[in-house]
Amino acid sequence: MRIRLHSLLPFILFYVIFISIHISVISGQCLPDQQSLLLELKKSLTFNSESSSKLKFWNQSTDCCDWSGVSCDNEGHVAGLDLSGESITGRFNSSSRLFSLQHLQRLNLAANNFNSVIPSAFDKLDKLTYLNLSYAGFVGQIPIEIARLTRLVTLDISSLAYLTGQNLKLENPNLRMLVSNLSSIKQLYLDGVTITAHGNEWCNVSLWLPRLQELSMSSCSLSGPIDASLASLENLLVIILDQNNLSSSVPESFANLKNLTTLSVNDCGLMGRFPEKIFQ
């Protein structure tokens, strides 16, 4: 039986239209309000245009989902924003247009110089699963609002306080208050943040972060002894505790961490014999 081409045209046309719609949805064309918010954010930031590889290329002539450092979901909302290493300087506060991008799932502001406290408005970005504020020039107390980002899988608020003399602190709220509701966390990096906690306090992350795989808290003014409860985190791959004052021995129970690939306890005032079982 021969099928005439003209009889198939309606079906071919429908198929082409369907594919075109499907592709446009997947590519995620930027919504006008999202583009406006990004341009207003750019206008509010002070950055070095000569060294910028992202912000300086943002303009109205192109779709914001195609801008460097920007990614969108299928509906055209900004879902990812990476402004790391943009040499951003100056104050950054809760009135920033950044906090109107409420579909954000990933945010990276690392390696800038904001020279301000961390804004309290971060709890508006409640869809975040990844938040990187490391080495961004933030100072002062880490706000309790970050504790409300219950979808976080990765949190990095590392600081270079020992080089800059500008302290980032986790005292009130303390470590327990920050992470006790963040049960989805797999990667937690707080290097250089002044925590000032004893072993029976900071080791209790095992109670609140059962999925934790990577823990890095070097130069945090932590003290010992290392509580054996830390070894109950069966998923741990990485432990970095360099340059604290633990003044204790390494618990033999660390040998129970069968998945551990990195254990770094350099310059921590450890004493005694290192348990041979850990090397097994």
Side-chain angles (χ1 to χ4, degrees):
M1 180 177 68
R2 298 179 63 183
I3 300 176
R4 295 181 181 179
L5 181 60
H6 73 268
S7 65
L8 293 177
L9 284 178
F11 300 97
I12 294 174
L13 183 60
F14 171 80
Y15 182 77
V16 170
I17 292 174
F18 173 79
I19 291 297
S20 299
I21 293 174
H22 185 63
I23 291 175
S24 67
V25 168
I26 290 177
S27 63
Q29 188 174 13
C30 185
L31 295 173
D33 71 303
Q34 299 289 284
Q35 182 146 324
S36 296
L37 287 171
L38 287 175
L39 289 173
E40 289 178 36
L41 174 62
K42 174 185 176 179
K43 186 177 180 180
S44 71
L45 297 174
T46 302
F47 63 96
N48 187 338
S49 60
E50 293 184 1
S51 60
S52 171
S53 61
K54 301 164 189 171
L55 283 169
K56 74 175 181 181
F57 296 109
W58 291 10
N59 61 73
Q60 290 181 325
S61 64
T62 55
D63 190 297
C64 77
C65 294
D66 295 327
W67 293 351
S68 180
V70 178
S71 59
C72 299
D73 62 20
N74 291 342
E75 297 176 349
H77 298 109
V78 176
L81 188 60
D82 182 355
L83 295 180
S84 60
E86 282 293 278
S87 301
I88 301 171
T89 59
R91 301 282 175 186
F92 174 57
N93 56 48
S94 295
S95 65
S96 172
R97 284 300 190 185
L98 173 70
F99 301 112
S100 297
L101 296 168
Q102 296 182 9
H103 292 266
L104 274 179
Q105 298 173 35
R106 297 178 60 86
L107 176 61
N108 189 348
L109 299 176
N112 287 294
N113 188 23
F114 288 102
N115 192 31
S116 69
V117 297
I118 298 174
S120 60
F122 269 100
D123 58 346
K124 294 181 179 179
L125 305 179
D126 58 3
K127 292 182 175 61
L128 283 178
T129 61
Y130 175 94
L131 177 60
N132 190 342
L133 305 177
S134 64
Y135 314 118
F138 289 115
V139 298
Q141 174 66 42
I142 296 174
I144 188 61
E145 284 76 11
I146 289 180
R148 297 170 189 157
L149 302 177
T150 56
R151 300 187 187 187
L152 281 178
V153 175
T154 300
L155 176 61
D156 191 345
I157 321 181
S158 300
S159 168
L160 286 175
Y162 65 93
L163 289 180
T164 64
Q166 298 173 314
N167 288 334
L168 195 56
K169 301 181 293 184
L170 189 50
E171 296 175 349
N172 186 23
N174 57 21
L175 179 62
R176 180 189 65 79
M177 295 170 69
L178 178 71
V179 303
S180 57
N181 291 321
L182 304 182
S183 58
S184 296
I185 289 280
K186 292 183 179 180
Q187 292 88 28
L188 178 63
Y189 312 105
L190 295 171
D191 302 295
V193 177
T194 300
I195 297 176
T196 314
H198 296 289
N200 61 348
E201 298 173 67
W202 62 265
C203 289
N204 276 342
V205 294
S206 59
L207 301 176
W208 315 307
L209 306 177
R211 302 181 185 180
L212 193 63
Q213 296 178 356
E214 299 182 18
L215 174 65
S216 189
M217 294 195 299
S218 60
S219 302
C220 287
S221 299
L222 301 175
S223 59
I226 301 176
D227 195 272
S229 63
L230 194 62
S232 66
L233 291 168
E234 298 178 353
N235 296 316
L236 266 181
L237 302 172
V238 175
I239 304 176
I240 300 176
L241 300 172
D242 300 338
Q243 298 174 346
N244 287 294
N245 186 24
L246 303 181
S247 300
S248 67
S249 59
V250 176
E252 194 170 276
S253 57
F254 271 20
N256 298 329
L257 297 171
K258 303 300 183 183
N259 296 314
L260 199 64
T261 60
T262 300
L263 173 61
S264 185
V265 285
N266 179 52
D267 195 19
C268 281
L270 294 176
M271 304 177 294
R273 185 179 180 85
F274 202 89
E276 292 184 7
K277 283 187 177 181
I278 292 179
F279 297 109
Q280 299 173 9

